[in-house]
Amino acid sequence: MKNVSRFQAFLIVLFFSLPFCGFSQNSVVVHADKPGPKIDKAIYGHFAEHLGHCIYGGIYVGEKSDIPNIKGFRLDVVGALKDLKVPLVRWPGGCFADTYHWKDGIGPKSERPSIINVHWGGVTEDNSFGTHEFLDFCELIGCDAYVCLNVGSGSVQEAAQWIEYVTSSNESPMTKLRKQNGREKPWNVKYWAAGNETWGCGGSMRPEYYADLYNQYSSFMRAPGMYKIASGANGEDYRWTDVLMKQSASMMNGISVHYYTVPGTWENKRSATQFDEKEWFSTMEKTLKMEELVTKHSAIMDKYDPGKKVGLLVDEWGNWFDVEPGTNPGFLYQQNTLRDALVAGINLNIFNNHADRVRMSNIAQMINVLQSVILTKEKEMVLTPTYYVFKMYNVHQDATLLPLDLKCNKYTTESGSVDAINASASVKDGVVSITLCNLDPSKSQNVSFEIQGLKLAQVSGKIVTSGKMNAYNDFGKKEEVTIADYNAAKLSNGLVEATLPAKSVVLIQLK
Ligand code: AHR
């Protein structure tokens, strides 16, 4: 230190300590000069199960309802989902799928049998929403359909007949039946899965056993352009992915993985709306686990499929809290706050950044169940903070991923520390879109951006945030969380400087 003045020494110490004291500048380098893969729009998919009021009351109220509807589908919900540009919906479950016999849900409604929904509250399922209703609904909102076949309590024949009923344009007993039921033309259904959570509610199988069963089902799952999906791992069960890839990779187009963010324990998951910063932090930390899961499952898939033909599909994800007080515990109804908005933004950024392998994700679930984008109560409808994040992130659908280097501060609490910022970027039609989450509930973050490989002249932005961590939108009240214009990003000499408010999800667009 002999030749270094005290002032220089001070500057050196200051430089190295900045990242730890929260003053440092965060930086993002976006590589428009090294474009990545396409972000499949299916990453913005949804999941609708016969569970609680997701289907009945949420999507479907029946033609005789005094809630405004078209062919029984709620008009308000249809409009909101069209605005959201929902790319696909997974149906009929979930655990329900492995109890579902599709022939119960076709033909005149008065003749359809009622069954017991054994997984979800033991309530009566009258089968008034079946194959025709689901596929008509998808046509109405303009999305692809993803059907989960019954492996747990069904048969290969039942599955093959369902596929033929839906997709075939040839003469057969199944297509004759479809026509008798009022549908002349086949539907165009690309995505079909053989079972759900076959390690759990779908049959409690070992991966070796399920892989054999999957190969059997797959052999009889036939339709032009079909995308075949194997039931995948529970969270970090990497052995499941390994066995399935070893035994069945050549017979599948995709394999799923399920992971839920639970801030507490499965016995005491904690409230959706009443939480402190400790639970906020735990939610952020647990949701960031998705990065590790996707990375590790992808690495296993790379061993067997280096060409990345098989997609990793996160076909159930989201926050799972305790049900709202006074509601049926089997219906999984929970409110949705700004915390959910952050969780949605973080997960979607993770999926975007892994678009080379992650080809689909389905938030659980679309309406009135778990981390929903829409809540309904009789005639009323609420769009949740999660809805607005999906809406803001739509710009990434089918865009080209732009890799980024992110250097950022930490968000530190007495429980631990995580990166304060989470981000992804894409380009479409000459517009660069960067989505960023500031996980810190009390500190804003200054960020400088450099976009390599593009000359930019204009910047604009949108934001989802609120004054309170647990702000939410409620029936009959003014919205507390929605999309607002964001003007805190400035462009000069090709560089962008922006301030991300505490607990916010931000979209910055440049062209
Ligand atoms: O989304 C609720 C349930 O969670 C699904 O039915 C099941 O697949 C998962 O365990």
Side-chain angles (χ1 to χ4, degrees), residues 47 49 51 90 93-97 119-120 196-197 199 201 258 260 266 316 320 332 364-365 369-370:
F47 170 35
E49 179 167 13
L51 195 178
R90 174 176 184 250
C95 297
F96 181 79
H119 284 294
W120 305 118
N196 167 74
E197 296 193 351
W199 40 263
C201 65
H258 289 181
Y260 284 96
W266 280 104
E316 285 186 32
W320 194 321
L332 311 186
Q365 297 193 6
V369 173
L370 301 177

PDB file of all heavy atoms in Angstrom, residues 47 49 51 90 93-97 119-120 196-197 199 201 258 260 266 316 320 332 364-365 369-370, ligand 1:
ATOM      1  N   PHE A  47     -53.877 -23.924 -16.896  1.00  0.00           N
ATOM      2  CA  PHE A  47     -54.340 -25.245 -16.477  1.00  0.00           C
ATOM      3  C   PHE A  47     -55.733 -25.080 -15.877  1.00  0.00           C
ATOM      4  O   PHE A  47     -55.945 -24.215 -15.014  1.00  0.00           O
ATOM      5  CB  PHE A  47     -53.330 -25.785 -15.455  1.00  0.00           C
ATOM      6  CG  PHE A  47     -53.737 -27.028 -14.717  1.00  0.00           C
ATOM      7  CD1 PHE A  47     -54.494 -28.031 -15.322  1.00  0.00           C
ATOM      8  CD2 PHE A  47     -53.332 -27.230 -13.398  1.00  0.00           C
ATOM      9  CE1 PHE A  47     -54.850 -29.174 -14.634  1.00  0.00           C
ATOM     10  CE2 PHE A  47     -53.672 -28.373 -12.699  1.00  0.00           C
ATOM     11  CZ  PHE A  47     -54.437 -29.347 -13.320  1.00  0.00           C
ATOM     12  N   GLU A  49     -58.744 -27.445 -14.226  1.00  0.00           N
ATOM     13  CA  GLU A  49     -59.127 -28.785 -13.751  1.00  0.00           C
ATOM     14  C   GLU A  49     -60.566 -28.758 -13.242  1.00  0.00           C
ATOM     15  O   GLU A  49     -61.066 -27.695 -12.817  1.00  0.00           O
ATOM     16  CB  GLU A  49     -58.167 -29.192 -12.617  1.00  0.00           C
ATOM     17  CG  GLU A  49     -58.468 -30.564 -12.027  1.00  0.00           C
ATOM     18  CD  GLU A  49     -57.356 -31.107 -11.136  1.00  0.00           C
ATOM     19  OE1 GLU A  49     -56.440 -30.343 -10.763  1.00  0.00           O
ATOM     20  OE2 GLU A  49     -57.412 -32.312 -10.810  1.00  0.00           O
ATOM     21  N   LEU A  51     -62.110 -28.851 -10.536  1.00  0.00           N
ATOM     22  CA  LEU A  51     -61.694 -28.672  -9.141  1.00  0.00           C
ATOM     23  C   LEU A  51     -62.327 -27.372  -8.652  1.00  0.00           C
ATOM     24  O   LEU A  51     -62.138 -26.320  -9.283  1.00  0.00           O
ATOM     25  CB  LEU A  51     -60.153 -28.577  -9.099  1.00  0.00           C
ATOM     26  CG  LEU A  51     -59.396 -28.726  -7.789  1.00  0.00           C
ATOM     27  CD1 LEU A  51     -57.903 -28.649  -8.015  1.00  0.00           C
ATOM     28  CD2 LEU A  51     -59.818 -27.832  -6.677  1.00  0.00           C
ATOM     29  N   ARG A  90     -54.631 -26.626 -20.429  1.00  0.00           N
ATOM     30  CA  ARG A  90     -54.517 -28.053 -20.092  1.00  0.00           C
ATOM     31  C   ARG A  90     -55.769 -28.468 -19.336  1.00  0.00           C
ATOM     32  O   ARG A  90     -56.202 -27.761 -18.419  1.00  0.00           O
ATOM     33  CB  ARG A  90     -53.271 -28.239 -19.231  1.00  0.00           C
ATOM     34  CG  ARG A  90     -53.072 -29.627 -18.659  1.00  0.00           C
ATOM     35  CD  ARG A  90     -51.734 -29.674 -17.910  1.00  0.00           C
ATOM     36  NE  ARG A  90     -51.425 -30.986 -17.400  1.00  0.00           N
ATOM     37  CZ  ARG A  90     -51.435 -31.316 -16.114  1.00  0.00           C
ATOM     38  NH1 ARG A  90     -51.757 -30.418 -15.189  1.00  0.00           N
ATOM     39  NH2 ARG A  90     -51.111 -32.537 -15.736  1.00  0.00           N
ATOM     40  N   GLY A  93     -57.427 -32.435 -15.887  1.00  0.00           N
ATOM     41  CA  GLY A  93     -56.683 -32.421 -14.631  1.00  0.00           C
ATOM     42  C   GLY A  93     -55.234 -32.600 -14.977  1.00  0.00           C
ATOM     43  O   GLY A  93     -54.899 -32.741 -16.165  1.00  0.00           O
ATOM     44  N   GLY A  94     -54.392 -32.629 -13.959  1.00  0.00           N
ATOM     45  CA  GLY A  94     -54.579 -32.790 -12.551  1.00  0.00           C
ATOM     46  C   GLY A  94     -55.044 -34.199 -12.152  1.00  0.00           C
ATOM     47  O   GLY A  94     -55.247 -35.109 -12.965  1.00  0.00           O
ATOM     48  N   CYS A  95     -55.140 -34.326 -10.834  1.00  0.00           N
ATOM     49  CA  CYS A  95     -55.561 -35.611 -10.260  1.00  0.00           C
ATOM     50  C   CYS A  95     -56.896 -36.067 -10.855  1.00  0.00           C
ATOM     51  O   CYS A  95     -57.144 -37.270 -11.001  1.00  0.00           O
ATOM     52  CB  CYS A  95     -55.673 -35.491  -8.743  1.00  0.00           C
ATOM     53  SG  CYS A  95     -54.099 -35.123  -7.943  1.00  0.00           S
ATOM     54  N   PHE A  96     -57.766 -35.105 -11.196  1.00  0.00           N
ATOM     55  CA  PHE A  96     -59.076 -35.476 -11.734  1.00  0.00           C
ATOM     56  C   PHE A  96     -58.932 -36.302 -13.019  1.00  0.00           C
ATOM     57  O   PHE A  96     -59.749 -37.194 -13.288  1.00  0.00           O
ATOM     58  CB  PHE A  96     -59.899 -34.204 -12.005  1.00  0.00           C
ATOM     59  CG  PHE A  96     -61.277 -34.480 -12.540  1.00  0.00           C
ATOM     60  CD1 PHE A  96     -62.307 -34.883 -11.691  1.00  0.00           C
ATOM     61  CD2 PHE A  96     -61.554 -34.351 -13.901  1.00  0.00           C
ATOM     62  CE1 PHE A  96     -63.588 -35.153 -12.184  1.00  0.00           C
ATOM     63  CE2 PHE A  96     -62.826 -34.613 -14.402  1.00  0.00           C
ATOM     64  CZ  PHE A  96     -63.842 -35.021 -13.538  1.00  0.00           C
ATOM     65  N   ALA A  97     -57.896 -36.014 -13.804  1.00  0.00           N
ATOM     66  CA  ALA A  97     -57.744 -36.669 -15.118  1.00  0.00           C
ATOM     67  C   ALA A  97     -57.688 -38.188 -14.987  1.00  0.00           C
ATOM     68  O   ALA A  97     -58.202 -38.908 -15.849  1.00  0.00           O
ATOM     69  CB  ALA A  97     -56.489 -36.154 -15.809  1.00  0.00           C
ATOM     70  N   HIS A 119     -61.212 -36.623  -5.620  1.00  0.00           N
ATOM     71  CA  HIS A 119     -60.025 -35.882  -5.155  1.00  0.00           C
ATOM     72  C   HIS A 119     -60.383 -34.524  -4.557  1.00  0.00           C
ATOM     73  O   HIS A 119     -59.689 -34.034  -3.674  1.00  0.00           O
ATOM     74  CB  HIS A 119     -59.044 -35.652  -6.308  1.00  0.00           C
ATOM     75  CG  HIS A 119     -58.274 -36.875  -6.670  1.00  0.00           C
ATOM     76  ND1 HIS A 119     -57.370 -37.457  -5.814  1.00  0.00           N
ATOM     77  CD2 HIS A 119     -58.295 -37.640  -7.780  1.00  0.00           C
ATOM     78  CE1 HIS A 119     -56.843 -38.517  -6.387  1.00  0.00           C
ATOM     79  NE2 HIS A 119     -57.385 -38.662  -7.578  1.00  0.00           N
ATOM     80  N   TRP A 120     -61.436 -33.903  -5.101  1.00  0.00           N
ATOM     81  CA  TRP A 120     -61.650 -32.492  -4.780  1.00  0.00           C
ATOM     82  C   TRP A 120     -62.994 -32.257  -4.116  1.00  0.00           C
ATOM     83  O   TRP A 120     -63.969 -31.872  -4.768  1.00  0.00           O
ATOM     84  CB  TRP A 120     -61.452 -31.630  -6.029  1.00  0.00           C
ATOM     85  CG  TRP A 120     -60.103 -31.890  -6.645  1.00  0.00           C
ATOM     86  CD1 TRP A 120     -59.853 -32.389  -7.892  1.00  0.00           C
ATOM     87  CD2 TRP A 120     -58.821 -31.691  -6.028  1.00  0.00           C
ATOM     88  NE1 TRP A 120     -58.498 -32.503  -8.097  1.00  0.00           N
ATOM     89  CE2 TRP A 120     -57.840 -32.087  -6.961  1.00  0.00           C
ATOM     90  CE3 TRP A 120     -58.396 -31.231  -4.778  1.00  0.00           C
ATOM     91  CZ2 TRP A 120     -56.469 -32.024  -6.690  1.00  0.00           C
ATOM     92  CZ3 TRP A 120     -57.030 -31.178  -4.506  1.00  0.00           C
ATOM     93  CH2 TRP A 120     -56.095 -31.565  -5.448  1.00  0.00           C
ATOM     94  N   ASN A 196     -51.224 -38.091 -15.302  1.00  0.00           N
ATOM     95  CA  ASN A 196     -50.781 -36.949 -14.504  1.00  0.00           C
ATOM     96  C   ASN A 196     -50.226 -37.449 -13.179  1.00  0.00           C
ATOM     97  O   ASN A 196     -50.832 -38.324 -12.547  1.00  0.00           O
ATOM     98  CB  ASN A 196     -51.980 -36.025 -14.226  1.00  0.00           C
ATOM     99  CG  ASN A 196     -51.680 -34.996 -13.143  1.00  0.00           C
ATOM    100  OD1 ASN A 196     -50.949 -34.038 -13.377  1.00  0.00           O
ATOM    101  ND2 ASN A 196     -52.232 -35.207 -11.949  1.00  0.00           N
ATOM    102  N   GLU A 197     -49.102 -36.901 -12.779  1.00  0.00           N
ATOM    103  CA  GLU A 197     -48.494 -37.257 -11.479  1.00  0.00           C
ATOM    104  C   GLU A 197     -48.630 -38.758 -11.226  1.00  0.00           C
ATOM    105  O   GLU A 197     -49.186 -39.183 -10.204  1.00  0.00           O
ATOM    106  CB  GLU A 197     -49.103 -36.412 -10.341  1.00  0.00           C
ATOM    107  CG  GLU A 197     -48.792 -34.932 -10.526  1.00  0.00           C
ATOM    108  CD  GLU A 197     -49.074 -34.036  -9.317  1.00  0.00           C
ATOM    109  OE1 GLU A 197     -49.679 -34.501  -8.330  1.00  0.00           O
ATOM    110  OE2 GLU A 197     -48.690 -32.848  -9.380  1.00  0.00           O
ATOM    111  N   TRP A 199     -46.566 -40.692 -10.266  1.00  0.00           N
ATOM    112  CA  TRP A 199     -45.836 -41.047  -9.034  1.00  0.00           C
ATOM    113  C   TRP A 199     -46.711 -40.835  -7.803  1.00  0.00           C
ATOM    114  O   TRP A 199     -46.348 -41.225  -6.697  1.00  0.00           O
ATOM    115  CB  TRP A 199     -44.561 -40.196  -8.896  1.00  0.00           C
ATOM    116  CG  TRP A 199     -44.770 -38.762  -9.296  1.00  0.00           C
ATOM    117  CD1 TRP A 199     -44.479 -38.201 -10.499  1.00  0.00           C
ATOM    118  CD2 TRP A 199     -45.367 -37.706  -8.504  1.00  0.00           C
ATOM    119  NE1 TRP A 199     -44.842 -36.867 -10.517  1.00  0.00           N
ATOM    120  CE2 TRP A 199     -45.379 -36.528  -9.314  1.00  0.00           C
ATOM    121  CE3 TRP A 199     -45.869 -37.637  -7.209  1.00  0.00           C
ATOM    122  CZ2 TRP A 199     -45.890 -35.304  -8.853  1.00  0.00           C
ATOM    123  CZ3 TRP A 199     -46.382 -36.419  -6.754  1.00  0.00           C
ATOM    124  CH2 TRP A 199     -46.389 -35.285  -7.574  1.00  0.00           C
ATOM    125  N   CYS A 201     -51.029 -39.088  -7.202  1.00  0.00           N
ATOM    126  CA  CYS A 201     -52.471 -39.329  -7.368  1.00  0.00           C
ATOM    127  C   CYS A 201     -52.797 -40.082  -8.656  1.00  0.00           C
ATOM    128  O   CYS A 201     -53.866 -40.691  -8.766  1.00  0.00           O
ATOM    129  CB  CYS A 201     -53.257 -38.019  -7.289  1.00  0.00           C
ATOM    130  SG  CYS A 201     -52.891 -36.856  -8.634  1.00  0.00           S
ATOM    131  N   HIS A 258     -43.585 -30.901 -12.152  1.00  0.00           N
ATOM    132  CA  HIS A 258     -44.496 -30.076 -11.350  1.00  0.00           C
ATOM    133  C   HIS A 258     -43.744 -29.514 -10.153  1.00  0.00           C
ATOM    134  O   HIS A 258     -43.016 -30.238  -9.478  1.00  0.00           O
ATOM    135  CB  HIS A 258     -45.678 -30.920 -10.823  1.00  0.00           C
ATOM    136  CG  HIS A 258     -46.647 -31.309 -11.902  1.00  0.00           C
ATOM    137  ND1 HIS A 258     -47.786 -32.049 -11.657  1.00  0.00           N
ATOM    138  CD2 HIS A 258     -46.647 -31.041 -13.236  1.00  0.00           C
ATOM    139  CE1 HIS A 258     -48.445 -32.221 -12.794  1.00  0.00           C
ATOM    140  NE2 HIS A 258     -47.771 -31.637 -13.761  1.00  0.00           N
ATOM    141  N   TYR A 260     -44.654 -26.528  -6.989  1.00  0.00           N
ATOM    142  CA  TYR A 260     -45.460 -25.456  -6.390  1.00  0.00           C
ATOM    143  C   TYR A 260     -44.623 -24.678  -5.376  1.00  0.00           C
ATOM    144  O   TYR A 260     -43.778 -25.248  -4.683  1.00  0.00           O
ATOM    145  CB  TYR A 260     -46.689 -26.041  -5.686  1.00  0.00           C
ATOM    146  CG  TYR A 260     -47.773 -26.475  -6.663  1.00  0.00           C
ATOM    147  CD1 TYR A 260     -47.876 -27.799  -7.080  1.00  0.00           C
ATOM    148  CD2 TYR A 260     -48.664 -25.551  -7.189  1.00  0.00           C
ATOM    149  CE1 TYR A 260     -48.861 -28.193  -7.994  1.00  0.00           C
ATOM    150  CE2 TYR A 260     -49.648 -25.929  -8.092  1.00  0.00           C
ATOM    151  CZ  TYR A 260     -49.738 -27.248  -8.491  1.00  0.00           C
ATOM    152  OH  TYR A 260     -50.712 -27.616  -9.396  1.00  0.00           O
ATOM    153  N   TRP A 266     -46.453 -28.169   3.884  1.00  0.00           N
ATOM    154  CA  TRP A 266     -47.683 -28.675   3.272  1.00  0.00           C
ATOM    155  C   TRP A 266     -48.817 -28.726   4.294  1.00  0.00           C
ATOM    156  O   TRP A 266     -49.983 -28.598   3.934  1.00  0.00           O
ATOM    157  CB  TRP A 266     -47.472 -30.049   2.634  1.00  0.00           C
ATOM    158  CG  TRP A 266     -46.821 -29.904   1.287  1.00  0.00           C
ATOM    159  CD1 TRP A 266     -45.511 -30.156   0.989  1.00  0.00           C
ATOM    160  CD2 TRP A 266     -47.425 -29.419   0.070  1.00  0.00           C
ATOM    161  NE1 TRP A 266     -45.271 -29.858  -0.341  1.00  0.00           N
ATOM    162  CE2 TRP A 266     -46.423 -29.414  -0.928  1.00  0.00           C
ATOM    163  CE3 TRP A 266     -48.703 -28.997  -0.270  1.00  0.00           C
ATOM    164  CZ2 TRP A 266     -46.668 -29.004  -2.243  1.00  0.00           C
ATOM    165  CZ3 TRP A 266     -48.952 -28.588  -1.581  1.00  0.00           C
ATOM    166  CH2 TRP A 266     -47.941 -28.595  -2.546  1.00  0.00           C
ATOM    167  N   GLU A 316     -47.504 -27.740 -14.285  1.00  0.00           N
ATOM    168  CA  GLU A 316     -48.194 -27.213 -13.088  1.00  0.00           C
ATOM    169  C   GLU A 316     -47.176 -26.422 -12.283  1.00  0.00           C
ATOM    170  O   GLU A 316     -46.126 -26.957 -11.908  1.00  0.00           O
ATOM    171  CB  GLU A 316     -48.773 -28.343 -12.220  1.00  0.00           C
ATOM    172  CG  GLU A 316     -50.010 -28.970 -12.802  1.00  0.00           C
ATOM    173  CD  GLU A 316     -50.675 -29.990 -11.877  1.00  0.00           C
ATOM    174  OE1 GLU A 316     -50.608 -29.837 -10.641  1.00  0.00           O
ATOM    175  OE2 GLU A 316     -51.262 -30.941 -12.415  1.00  0.00           O
ATOM    176  N   TRP A 320     -49.077 -22.017  -3.739  1.00  0.00           N
ATOM    177  CA  TRP A 320     -50.114 -22.839  -3.096  1.00  0.00           C
ATOM    178  C   TRP A 320     -50.178 -22.406  -1.634  1.00  0.00           C
ATOM    179  O   TRP A 320     -49.265 -22.662  -0.863  1.00  0.00           O
ATOM    180  CB  TRP A 320     -49.762 -24.323  -3.225  1.00  0.00           C
ATOM    181  CG  TRP A 320     -50.881 -25.272  -2.899  1.00  0.00           C
ATOM    182  CD1 TRP A 320     -51.804 -25.146  -1.912  1.00  0.00           C
ATOM    183  CD2 TRP A 320     -51.181 -26.502  -3.574  1.00  0.00           C
ATOM    184  NE1 TRP A 320     -52.664 -26.219  -1.931  1.00  0.00           N
ATOM    185  CE2 TRP A 320     -52.313 -27.073  -2.938  1.00  0.00           C
ATOM    186  CE3 TRP A 320     -50.607 -27.201  -4.643  1.00  0.00           C
ATOM    187  CZ2 TRP A 320     -52.865 -28.296  -3.324  1.00  0.00           C
ATOM    188  CZ3 TRP A 320     -51.152 -28.417  -5.028  1.00  0.00           C
ATOM    189  CH2 TRP A 320     -52.277 -28.948  -4.379  1.00  0.00           C
ATOM    190  N   LEU A 332     -59.505 -25.395  -2.947  1.00  0.00           N
ATOM    191  CA  LEU A 332     -58.234 -24.688  -3.175  1.00  0.00           C
ATOM    192  C   LEU A 332     -58.406 -23.247  -3.685  1.00  0.00           C
ATOM    193  O   LEU A 332     -57.712 -22.803  -4.597  1.00  0.00           O
ATOM    194  CB  LEU A 332     -57.339 -25.473  -4.150  1.00  0.00           C
ATOM    195  CG  LEU A 332     -57.121 -26.962  -3.875  1.00  0.00           C
ATOM    196  CD1 LEU A 332     -56.089 -27.540  -4.852  1.00  0.00           C
ATOM    197  CD2 LEU A 332     -56.671 -27.231  -2.435  1.00  0.00           C
ATOM    198  N   ALA A 364     -51.071 -22.997 -12.430  1.00  0.00           N
ATOM    199  CA  ALA A 364     -52.151 -23.702 -11.730  1.00  0.00           C
ATOM    200  C   ALA A 364     -52.793 -22.721 -10.740  1.00  0.00           C
ATOM    201  O   ALA A 364     -52.117 -22.263  -9.836  1.00  0.00           O
ATOM    202  CB  ALA A 364     -51.587 -24.909 -10.987  1.00  0.00           C
ATOM    203  N   GLN A 365     -54.060 -22.468 -11.034  1.00  0.00           N
ATOM    204  CA  GLN A 365     -54.853 -22.832 -12.185  1.00  0.00           C
ATOM    205  C   GLN A 365     -55.516 -21.574 -12.742  1.00  0.00           C
ATOM    206  O   GLN A 365     -55.484 -20.529 -12.102  1.00  0.00           O
ATOM    207  CB  GLN A 365     -55.893 -23.853 -11.804  1.00  0.00           C
ATOM    208  CG  GLN A 365     -55.275 -25.169 -11.312  1.00  0.00           C
ATOM    209  CD  GLN A 365     -56.276 -26.313 -11.208  1.00  0.00           C
ATOM    210  OE1 GLN A 365     -57.430 -26.201 -11.606  1.00  0.00           O
ATOM    211  NE2 GLN A 365     -55.824 -27.431 -10.632  1.00  0.00           N
ATOM    212  N   VAL A 369     -58.842 -21.236  -8.550  1.00  0.00           N
ATOM    213  CA  VAL A 369     -58.101 -22.323  -7.899  1.00  0.00           C
ATOM    214  C   VAL A 369     -56.612 -21.962  -7.856  1.00  0.00           C
ATOM    215  O   VAL A 369     -56.029 -21.606  -8.886  1.00  0.00           O
ATOM    216  CB  VAL A 369     -58.288 -23.664  -8.659  1.00  0.00           C
ATOM    217  CG1 VAL A 369     -57.377 -24.749  -8.095  1.00  0.00           C
ATOM    218  CG2 VAL A 369     -59.746 -24.128  -8.605  1.00  0.00           C
ATOM    219  N   LEU A 370     -56.009 -22.029  -6.653  1.00  0.00           N
ATOM    220  CA  LEU A 370     -54.587 -21.725  -6.474  1.00  0.00           C
ATOM    221  C   LEU A 370     -54.250 -20.347  -7.077  1.00  0.00           C
ATOM    222  O   LEU A 370     -55.001 -19.400  -6.882  1.00  0.00           O
ATOM    223  CB  LEU A 370     -53.710 -22.873  -7.022  1.00  0.00           C
ATOM    224  CG  LEU A 370     -53.974 -24.238  -6.346  1.00  0.00           C
ATOM    225  CD1 LEU A 370     -53.141 -25.343  -6.982  1.00  0.00           C
ATOM    226  CD2 LEU A 370     -53.700 -24.206  -4.846  1.00  0.00           C
TER     227      LEU A 370
HETATM  228  O1  AHR B   1     -53.400 -28.278  -9.064  1.00  0.00           O
HETATM  229  C1  AHR B   1     -53.903 -29.037  -8.023  1.00  0.00           C
HETATM  230  C2  AHR B   1     -53.330 -30.447  -7.998  1.00  0.00           C
HETATM  231  O2  AHR B   1     -51.971 -30.396  -7.751  1.00  0.00           O
HETATM  232  C3  AHR B   1     -53.432 -31.227  -9.286  1.00  0.00           C
HETATM  233  O3  AHR B   1     -54.659 -31.846  -9.440  1.00  0.00           O
HETATM  234  C4  AHR B   1     -52.346 -32.240  -9.131  1.00  0.00           C
HETATM  235  O4  AHR B   1     -51.819 -32.653 -10.369  1.00  0.00           O
HETATM  236  C5  AHR B   1     -51.325 -31.545  -8.271  1.00  0.00           C
HETATM  237  O5  AHR B   1     -50.909 -32.328  -7.219  1.00  0.00           O
END
